[in-house]
Amino acid sequence: MKTILIIFIYFISVSSSIADQNSSRLDPLFKELTQIKNELAADLILAEIWSIWSKTDNEIAQEIFEEGNQLMNKGQFEESILTFTEVIALQPDFAEAYSNLGSVLNHLGKLEDAELFTRKAIELNPNFANAYCNLGNVLRDLGKLQDAELSYRKAIEIKPDYAEAHYNLGNVFRDLGKYQEAELSYRKAIELNPNYSKAYYSLSLLKYSDKNKIWQDQLFSKNILKNNSRKDQIDIYFARANILHKEENYKESSRYLRLANNLKLAMNPSTYKTHRLIKNTETLLFESNQENINKKEIKNSSESIFIVGMPRCGSTLVESIISIKNNVCDLGEINILGESFQEYKKSKEDLNLAELYWEKVNKITELNITTNKWLYNYQYAGIIARQIPNAKIIYCYRNPLDNILSIYRAHFAQGNEYSSSIVDCTNVYLNQEKVMREYKNRFKSKIYELNYDKLVRNPNKEIKSLISWLSWKWDDSYLKPHLNQRAVSTRSNVEIRSPINSKSVDGWKNYKDMLKPAIEILSQTERYLHLLSSVSYTHLTLPTNREV
């Protein structure tokens, strides 16, 4: 990364003299574009503009640039970074290379560097709609939603028929709880691109209006599957499943959920990664037993609250409740603890895990109380309890079948491969439950168990109990987390805007046939026999790793 930054700094100083080499060709095109009324002619002008932006007169740089694009599309991101950097060295005013490098860095989670390079692309070409869209993606990931909105709007101003920018703008509105605006943006994206699978999926998550259901007819048409790749078909199947679920047609919803998740498994098998996740959990459990206490004692008044559990366990609701308190910063799903732990293990200096963690926290907020809901922090619960002073752990859990169903329906954008296999999902659930039971036995005073089912059925009692455990002063606003104005970018960002309700409790009973593999596994544990007493099967086949 140092090499990239050195190249970047150097070419900032020299690019000003060569960055405008295409301006004589672009300016007349943009002027013509603002005056033309014929849609086809406008599309041809836009295509010519795009051709200029994405090409350079340096044939060697162009060839390497195309190679970088191929590496990026194959997911070979580290290699594509080196390739785009080489292009920039050869052609310092190549805006598209900067923009693509920013996109790759964003994908790798190197957000500050991604923002730097993407802004450089815009500096080189102020009319670069794609770069503004990429910048919006970076800013959204940085949690700067208002800035992201402005960036997407600028992309749309430059290129009004930019479907992806409309779609991304819809995502920002959804994060902010502006659902009517989100729906309009998604509909516009579909209007511009009737095969835009992601827009259909995102729209299916909303409480959409009944004014215009043409998009649903398009979604369930045969043509949309023919016109989309297998990856896009996954979005289509999940979108169909969501709509059918809302219509209480659970049998058909199950069918599309199986189709979607089996396609995901075919593209990203889950078995190996599931075994690795479970093994890592067990390794961290073992490490938490070791006497590797902090290398030096440190005093700090920061209150670090970790909300842990499985995905879709109610953690977003808990974070919304807690972050109503004015002096609390909700960090969201951010893996800075895992990063800090790896640095701590590798370090030979007199460092402290808590110091490393707080250093990362302080870059985000100056507030003294923080919540961190990176769910896989449950793996570090023992290490948190032993090595981070004044830390508190809230362990969220719910009916396992409801949890497994919710995960299977979630369609996570990346990672969590086990979510597409009911068998793997059940095994991960039981593993995290086992280790959290162990941690709870060892660190009773530091871990609060919160039953989601009880929370939504009796919020008054359960929330008061939680606030009391935190030793906070009670306020009735804790009972109204749906009024919390914070931005939410998790899979629960629609449900969280509704008042607390128990609609999802026992929802698994609508999908009993689909959940047979989970029921079979759970029935082998005495702990869950009571959950299965209401289910009667004449025959349960042994589960396999691939549900059909």
Side-chain angles (χ1 to χ4, degrees), residues 329-344:
C329 173
D330 56 306
L331 299 174
E333 294 186 358
I334 182 169
N335 189 23
I336 56 176
L337 176 67
E339 293 172 1
S340 300
F341 183 69
Q342 292 305 316
E343 291 174 22
Y344 169 73

Side-chain angles (χ1 to χ4, degrees), residues 159-188:
K159 189 179 179 187
D161 64 346
Y162 196 173
E164 186 178 351
H166 285 283
Y167 164 75
N168 288 333
L169 181 60
N171 287 338
V172 168
F173 286 140
R174 192 178 73 192
D175 292 349
L176 292 170
K178 298 179 179 180
Y179 299 127
Q180 289 184 340
E181 293 92 332
E183 180 177 349
L184 290 173
S185 292
Y186 292 143
R187 285 182 184 274
K188 183 63 178 179

Side-chain angles (χ1 to χ4, degrees), residues 381-405:
I383 292 165
I384 293 169
R386 293 186 63 180
Q387 300 201 44
I388 300 185
N390 208 24
K392 296 179 179 179
I393 301 167
I394 302 172
Y395 169 45
C396 299
Y397 66 96
R398 64 191 292 196
N399 179 308
L401 291 173
D402 277 339
N403 204 164
I404 292 163
L405 170 63

Side-chain angles (χ1 to χ4, degrees), residues 66 93 145 151 164 213 285 356 402 456:
E66 297 298 340
D93 65 340
L145 296 184
S151 194
E164 186 178 351
K213 289 194 174 183
L285 175 63
L356 290 169
D402 277 339
V456 297

